[in-house]
Amino acid sequence: MYAPSEAARRSGFSLDTLRYYEKIGLLSVGRTSGGRRVFTDEDLGWLVLFRCLRDTGMPIAQMCRYAELAREGEHTAGERKALLEEHATRVEEQMHLLQHQYDHLREKIRFYEGLGDST
């Protein structure tokens, strides 16, 4: 069991983000008898996935849909896989675009390097 501050530290999310994820139903966190939130290793595993999905641009609504499907059980595995495959396709498209734009930037930098230091 982890206190919210430890879960935040381990996940890289802020305490506000953890509270928000709980509020919107993305994460279901247990509580002590005194009402304090506690996080399990399973919760931290979810947070690793959420970090990946968020960092790769998945909208919160889709993250919530994925979590909802997971809670419904194994019979939703195909739908969850499809959701992740669609997201992976979007990520791959974004990676190609970024690589193209990066190459363009590097080309511009080489241009300026070819001019020499005229300052």
Side-chain angles (χ1 to χ4, degrees):
M1 301 287 217
Y2 305 96
S5 59
E6 180 65 11
R9 187 188 71 72
R10 288 176 178 252
S11 68
F13 287 115
S14 69
L15 286 170
D16 287 339
T17 299
L18 295 181
R19 277 190 220 89
Y20 175 69
Y21 283 179
E22 183 179 14
K23 179 181 174 183
I24 64 171
L26 188 57
L27 191 61
S28 179
V29 179
R31 296 196 179 262
T32 66
S33 58
R36 297 176 74 79
R37 292 180 300 142
V38 290
F39 292 79
T40 64
D41 286 330
E42 183 178 352
D43 295 328
L44 292 180
W46 275 103
L47 290 171
V48 168
L49 175 61
F50 296 152
R51 168 65 64 193
C52 171
L53 297 177
R54 188 177 95 165
D55 287 353
T56 56
M58 181 180 273
I60 290 283
Q62 284 186 316
M63 290 169 60
C64 287
R65 179 66 181 144
Y66 181 87
E68 176 185 307
L69 289 169
R71 284 190 289 270
E72 288 178 17
E74 287 303 312
H75 69 280
T76 66
E79 195 173 345
R80 284 181 276 155
K81 180 179 179 251
L83 195 150
L84 292 176
E85 287 174 335
E86 290 170 17
H87 181 63
T89 298
R90 287 189 300 274
V91 169
E92 187 173 18
E93 290 167 357
Q94 185 67 21
M95 287 171 43
H96 288 302
L97 174 63
L98 287 173
Q99 183 63 55
H100 176 76
Q101 300 297 32
Y102 175 77
D103 292 344
H104 183 78
L105 285 171
R106 295 306 310 169
E107 184 179 311
K108 266 305 187 201
I109 291 167
R110 282 190 297 278
F111 168 78
Y112 287 110
E113 288 172 345
L115 293 178
D117 190 7
S118 59
T119 58

